[in-house]
Amino acid sequence: MNGPSFHSVTLDPAKCKGCTTCVRFCPTEAIRVRKGRAAIIDDRCIDCGECIRTCPNNAKKAVSDPLTVLESYAVRVAIPAPTLYGQFDERFSVDRILGGLLELGFTDVFEVARGAELVADATAAWIASAGEAGSGGQWISSACPAVVKLLQVRFPSLLDRLVPVMSPMEAAARIVKERLYPGRTDVGVFFISPCAGKVTVSRFPQGLTESAVDGVIAIKDIYVPLLNALPGVHERPLGHAGARGVAWAHIDGESDAVGVPKAISVSGIADVIGVFEALENGKMKHVAFIEALACPAGCVGGPLTVENPYIARARIRAIERKAAELPPREARFEGAAINLGLEVPVPARSGLRLAPDVFKAMIMLEEAEIIHESLPGLDCGSCGAPTCRAFAEDVARGDAMLTDCIFKLRENVRKLAEELINMERWQPPGLDKD
Amino acid sequence: MQLRYEVSGDDLSLAGKASTEVKRALGRLGVDTGAIKRTAVSMYEAEMNMVIHGGGGIATAELSPDRIVITMEDKGPGIPDLELAMQEGYSTAPEWIRELGFGAGMGLPNIKRNADDLHIESIVGKGTRVTITIDFSGTGGSRP
Ligand SMILES: Nc1ncnc2c1ncn2[C@@H]1O[C@H](COP(=O)(O)OP(=O)(O)OP(=O)(O)O)[C@@H](O)[C@H]1O
Ligand code: SF4
Ligand SMILES: [Mg+2]
């Protein structure tokens, strides 16, 4: 029920100093320091990359596929996230960047930005039809895998508000397989990714039985070879996406593309959580669509990028302005797109539960409450847990020992010392003469 | 088991904290998601009322495996006409509170819709005690 135990986000034990910085920043309390090293609790990790961003020792990394994954396919199609375009300066146009990918071993390119435009249409259609059917209310975008997992782990009561439309990456991959190369089995589709979460969902998809993506290559891994290839590229009209799709690289792009007037867009995991808390409390009644992206400023702030998110966003905006002036290009495929609906429900994940059984969980919660009362409340992190409360829960669950808290340890040592002194005063009866 | 929170009447930015803590506890128990939502909405509204109208007070949540009973107790001005206060759209919230997006007069009716039982005791000049019960297998729509 808790899905994969594979996560893109992992630890490099050689670099980790056990400093607990990441422990405090993790939005689902999924990290503990044990034996001087950070350990990720799989059931809770949402692949948001917050630990990668905050680790002072670069000990957290996102696993993605090496370029050698291309070798096993005759047709190798790159599907770049629009974020890729913002990694290079203004000298390099979208057409040139797409051309550069063809120099690196790909045989074709199809923009995720094009998929995003179709996802925007499908999302708008879903919200309109749900409204007509009387199930209006607030709909949450399912484009960001970290946000979807955040709902699964921390806000399961909001899962029924997810727009049941697949992500632009999946949409693009399916169009490649079903429309550009139908019926072929030698086609590999590779996402060029700013995102750690997409690596995980390409193997264990959300709301789909299978992913059409065959590999995920990190922007930071392809950056240097691509940069070296760009000056020699002969520019051809390879781009087919408009400004509306390219804008999905940054916050606001998606809600503008969907075009629902009462939308709110939020980026950065802490603020996303704030909005979901408010939503769960019944606030924001007037909102119809919520674009939520885990990374600061949106995917341009993804952990697999190279460029500063705000510089990348400014460049993407410039590309959007340019694209808006150009006439639209000929479509890559005829007729209607593919069905973009999700195939299976996105279930809750039980990572934060104390026990599978509510009665057992109740006993543990009560115990945790009593333990918490006895702790200093400093949230100092030296026990390896993010807060005293989280530590109390760990102890109640049997995952930690009370003396892992240095204040508790000191208390014990003091008691022991007092006992020793008392013992030292004690005289054997034979010697005890007054 | 019981959870207890002191809710400040001075700092609106802290309002909602008790509700967040209770939601966290329900998540740890793995309570039905519909019940979590109903608890969230009713406790949040009652907490806001206690902060805005009641000058702060004490929130307690009595948790058991099949239900939660939330009590919000303040020593504020009290509610002179309960029936009127329960009506949709009735509010005595001052202008500056309305500017913050509160004061639509929807809080108490909302609690009533979401709670399986709602009980309000109020004495003018003494204070108000709001008691909300959510049955984890219930559906809400209490009739006080
Ligand atoms: N704890 C309280 N102490 C004193 N008066 C209260 C208290 N709770 C509610 N009231 C009175 O009842 C009225 C209606 O409350 P209700 O929660 O329905 O609406 P509101 O708080 O004014 O607006 P909203 O909840 O929509 O922001 C309030 O305006 C206030 O006069
Ligand atoms: S904001 Fe974008 S890059 Fe970051 S986790 Fe979400 S989808 Fe991935
Ligand atoms: Mg109110």
Side-chain angles (χ1 to χ4, degrees), chain A residues 28-29 44 154-158 160-161 276-283 285 348 352-359 361-363 365-367 369 387 389-390 393, chain B residues 1-5 16 19-21 23-34 36-42 44-45 48 63-66 101-102 110 136:
Chain A
T28 51
E29 300 181 356
R44 296 186 178 185
R154 209 170 139 171
F155 297 97
S157 80
L158 298 176
D160 59 351
R161 303 312 304 172
F276 287 165
E277 289 285 359
L279 188 61
E280 203 172 45
N281 290 343
K283 298 266 99 186
K285 285 263 175 340
L352 290 176
R353 268 198 210 179
L354 292 175
D357 171 87
V358 78
F359 289 92
M362 189 88 222
I363 292 166
L365 189 69
E366 200 157 3
E367 202 184 322
E369 195 58 29
T387 60
R389 182 170 295 283
E393 287 169 2
Chain B
M1 69 175 291
Q2 199 189 63
L3 303 170
R4 185 174 180 281
Y5 309 93
S19 315
T20 302
E21 289 292 320
K23 270 197 286 187
R24 176 196 165 101
L26 294 182
R28 294 303 187 264
L29 294 179
V31 162
D32 170 72
T33 56
I36 292 183
K37 214 181 214 162
R38 292 193 292 117
T39 307
V41 171
S42 16
Y44 176 77
E45 290 290 358
M48 291 316 291
L63 264 166
S64 48
D66 55 354
F102 302 101
N110 228 341
F136 296 153

Side-chain angles (χ1 to χ4, degrees), chain B residues 45-46 48-49 52-53 102-103 105-108:
Chain B
E45 290 290 358
M48 291 316 291
N49 277 354
I52 292 171
H53 309 293
F102 302 101
M106 292 306 288
L108 291 174

Side-chain angles (χ1 to χ4, degrees), chain B residues 45 49-50 53-54 74 77-79 85 90-93 102-109 128:
Chain B
E45 290 290 358
N49 277 354
M50 188 156 82
H53 309 293
D74 67 55
I79 305 173
Y90 176 80
S91 175
T92 60
F102 302 101
M106 292 306 288
L108 291 174
T128 302

Side-chain angles (χ1 to χ4, degrees), chain B residues 81-98:
Chain B
D81 186 341
L82 245 180
E83 209 172 308
L84 189 61
M86 286 305 301
Q87 278 176 21
E88 282 192 15
Y90 176 80
S91 175
T92 60
E95 193 51 39
W96 71 273
I97 284 286
R98 285 170 204 257

Side-chain angles (χ1 to χ4, degrees), chain A residues 255-278:
Chain A
S255 34
D256 286 349
V258 171
V260 174
K262 299 174 203 157
I264 166 170
S265 40
V266 53
S267 66
I269 198 78
D271 286 326
V272 168
I273 289 170
V275 165
F276 287 165
E277 289 285 359

Side-chain angles (χ1 to χ4, degrees), chain A residues 315-397:
Chain A
R315 289 178 183 157
I316 302 259
R317 286 232 168 101
I319 293 170
E320 289 162 36
R321 282 191 293 275
K322 224 182 269 168
E325 289 162 12
L326 295 172
R329 289 194 175 149
E330 204 184 313
R332 285 273 325 253
F333 58 95
E334 295 292 318
I338 52 162
N339 180 5
L340 298 177
L342 290 184
E343 295 158 350
V344 288
V346 179
R349 291 175 64 183
S350 59
L352 290 176
R353 268 198 210 179
L354 292 175
D357 171 87
V358 78
F359 289 92
K360 267 207 194 102
M362 189 88 222
I363 292 166
M364 286 181 185
L365 189 69
E366 200 157 3
E367 202 184 322
E369 195 58 29
I370 293 163
I371 295 167
H372 182 244
E373 295 276 305
S374 80
L375 295 173
L378 294 174
D379 296 343
C380 73
S382 44
C383 59
T387 60
C388 292
R389 182 170 295 283
F391 173 66
E393 287 169 2
D394 287 352
V395 175
R397 256 158 80 125

